[in-house]
Amino acid sequence: MRSFLITTFCLLAMFGKAEIKTSEILGSWVASNVSYLSGDELPDENVLKYSYTKYTFEAPDKMYFAAVYHVLGSEFRYELKGNRILLKSAVGYLINTFRIMELTNNRLILISADLNGSLDSPTSLRYTFYREGFIQQNLPLSPNDIYKVNGTDTLFNSGQKIYALFKGTDFSEHISHELYKVNVSTRTGTLHATFIVDANGKADGLKIIQGINPAYDKAYTKIFYAARNNWKPATRNGRPVRVLMYQEKKYFTSDEAIPSFFNSQKANQAYHNKDYETALYYYDQALATRPDETTDLYHRGICKQMLGNLAGACSDWNKVKALKSDVADGVMAKYCN
């Protein structure tokens, strides 16, 4: 989700502060806006404009990047030097440099170096982050955020506002890693499962709505319950709550996956070059064999919108939404409502 309503904001900012303490940036920050340093908006086709971005800083030097709300994300290293954040790979190579333009208790503005390494170019990117907890407190609940009410007990639907977080690695990656240790039969198809993480951070109530095959489903269930205590509970207004989590795991044959992968790569290159007609052709080819790839659907929608087919674009973005991804929420709010 790219924007939210904040009714009150009165905090003391630290502008131009020479030294930033590590303790001041620790925690998870979600980007509410990405623009150019000049103040100009990013064009709609820029993937950063509406994509979800979360940075999590941990002491002493770990930083995680996530493009979806429900994972900690990919691990990097960082170093604070004055009001600069040096982003590094796991083995210490410098990847990017950020300048801390503003820091408050709940807001962080970072300037990202452009392709020439400049932090002061009009085309340098300006990220406005808010603490994840602050965003969640200021996002009003809707009826769709509630799954079930039983007296005073509410079971919430997992979403950006309320979700449980698996400790350590991404839960889906953990399942995949453990499954590859198990000798199960050929895995093709899609698994759909739901489960509840309670207020104590314990996962239970696994329900496999659609399985792969009996051997796979049995192995999945065993791995799930072995990791049932490895969760941080969801919170609402500072207190832990129960939340219904959803998981989908897809497996494709090589005949499906390989052509789709290469067509998607060709489409992405054309998209990067702003050749939307060619990109549209290759996204069509990629989606013909893997029709529920949300990133390709989102980009195909952008291609259609750039070519004047707004109805077709909204159709693709609605498919993205139906697949339980919020990557298209920003463009849908702008063009489809």
Side-chain angles (χ1 to χ4, degrees):
M1 189 170 185
R2 305 300 303 148
S3 63
F4 56 91
L5 178 64
I6 301 176
T7 56
T8 59
F9 184 85
C10 184
L11 295 165
L12 180 63
M14 302 175 224
F15 293 97
K17 188 176 178 180
E19 289 290 339
I20 304 295
K21 297 178 181 178
T22 300
S23 60
E24 294 171 333
I25 67 166
L26 295 182
S28 293
W29 302 83
V30 177
S32 67
N33 179 263
V34 185
S35 64
Y36 293 117
L37 184 57
S38 64
D40 293 335
E41 284 189 32
L42 299 183
D44 284 337
E45 64 271 21
N46 189 306
V47 296
L48 294 175
K49 184 169 185 178
Y50 297 112
S51 61
Y52 180 87
T53 300
K54 179 172 70 175
Y55 289 169
T56 300
F57 296 94
E58 292 185 353
D61 63 353
K62 286 186 180 180
M63 179 267 196
Y64 299 88
F65 162 75
V68 291
Y69 66 86
H70 54 80
V71 302
L72 189 58
S74 302
E75 182 179 326
F76 295 90
R77 293 289 185 270
Y78 75 94
E79 180 183 355
L80 270 177
K81 281 195 172 182
N83 65 348
R84 299 290 196 270
I85 298 176
L86 308 182
L87 181 63
K88 301 179 180 181
S89 69
V91 293
Y93 291 110
L94 183 65
I95 298 173
N96 199 358
T97 301
F98 296 99
R99 173 166 59 89
I100 299 175
M101 182 177 182
E102 178 185 333
L103 175 62
T104 72
N105 290 334
N106 286 313
R107 185 165 72 171
L108 171 66
I109 298 179
L110 297 180
I111 308 302
S112 174
D114 66 8
L115 295 176
N116 296 316
S118 173
L119 290 165
D120 300 304
S121 167
T123 58
S124 298
L125 294 178
R126 169 180 167 143
Y127 290 81
T128 301
F129 290 88
Y130 287 88
R131 286 198 183 274
E132 185 176 32
F134 182 72
I135 292 177
Q136 290 174 321
Q137 291 173 14
N138 286 276
L139 286 172
L141 292 180
S142 72
N144 291 332
D145 296 316
I146 297 174
Y147 180 74
K148 183 169 61 175
V149 178
N150 183 11
T152 59
D153 181 33
T154 301
L155 177 61
F156 294 93
N157 279 315
S158 176
Q160 186 182 344
K161 302 171 191 176
I162 305 173
Y163 69 92
L165 183 66
F166 189 69
K167 296 177 182 178
T169 184
D170 170 20
F171 181 57
S172 182
E173 290 183 4
H174 171 77
I175 290 286
S176 296
H177 181 266
E178 295 300 313
L179 279 170
Y180 280 113
K181 298 178 181 178
V182 182
N183 184 23
V184 294
S185 56
T186 303
R187 291 167 290 195
T188 57
T190 303
L191 175 132
H192 297 279
T194 61
F195 57 93
I196 295 171
V197 177
D198 67 19
N200 296 314
K202 186 175 182 179
D204 209 342
L206 174 65
K207 182 178 181 180
I208 297 179
I209 300 170
Q210 175 181 306
I212 302 293
N213 58 55
Y216 178 96
D217 298 349
K218 182 179 179 181
Y220 178 95
T221 300
K222 183 178 180 180
I223 294 166
F224 169 85
Y225 281 107
R228 67 191 308 179
N229 294 315
N230 294 343
W231 290 87
K232 296 178 182 178
T235 60
R236 182 66 185 172
N237 296 326
R239 66 180 183 88
V241 295
R242 297 198 309 143
V243 63
L244 181 74
M245 304 290 287
Y246 173 82
Q247 182 166 57
E248 177 182 80
K249 293 192 71 65
K250 304 173 188 176
Y251 297 92
F252 301 94
T253 66
S254 59
D255 289 341
E256 294 172 321
I258 293 174
S260 178
F261 173 80
F262 285 110
N263 282 320
S264 182
Q265 291 292 98
K266 293 175 183 177
N268 291 338
Q269 184 60 52
Y271 184 96
H272 177 75
N273 294 332
K274 300 184 178 182
D275 182 357
Y276 300 113
E277 293 180 355
T278 300
L280 180 60
Y281 172 80
Y282 282 116
Y283 283 132
D284 283 344
Q285 299 302 306
L287 289 163
T289 52
R290 297 178 67 177
D292 52 0
E293 282 298 301
T294 55
T295 301
D296 285 352
L297 278 169
Y298 171 72
H299 285 146
R300 187 174 73 172
I302 291 289
C303 291
K304 291 178 180 179
Q305 183 257 328
M306 296 299 293
L307 295 171
N309 180 9
L310 188 56
C314 290
S315 176
D316 276 348
W317 297 331
N318 272 299
K319 292 176 184 175
V320 171
K321 188 69 175 178
L323 291 166
K324 300 186 180 299
S325 171
D326 57 5
V327 68
D329 284 2
V331 285
M332 288 184 69
K334 183 173 182 179
Y335 293 110
C336 304
N337 293 334

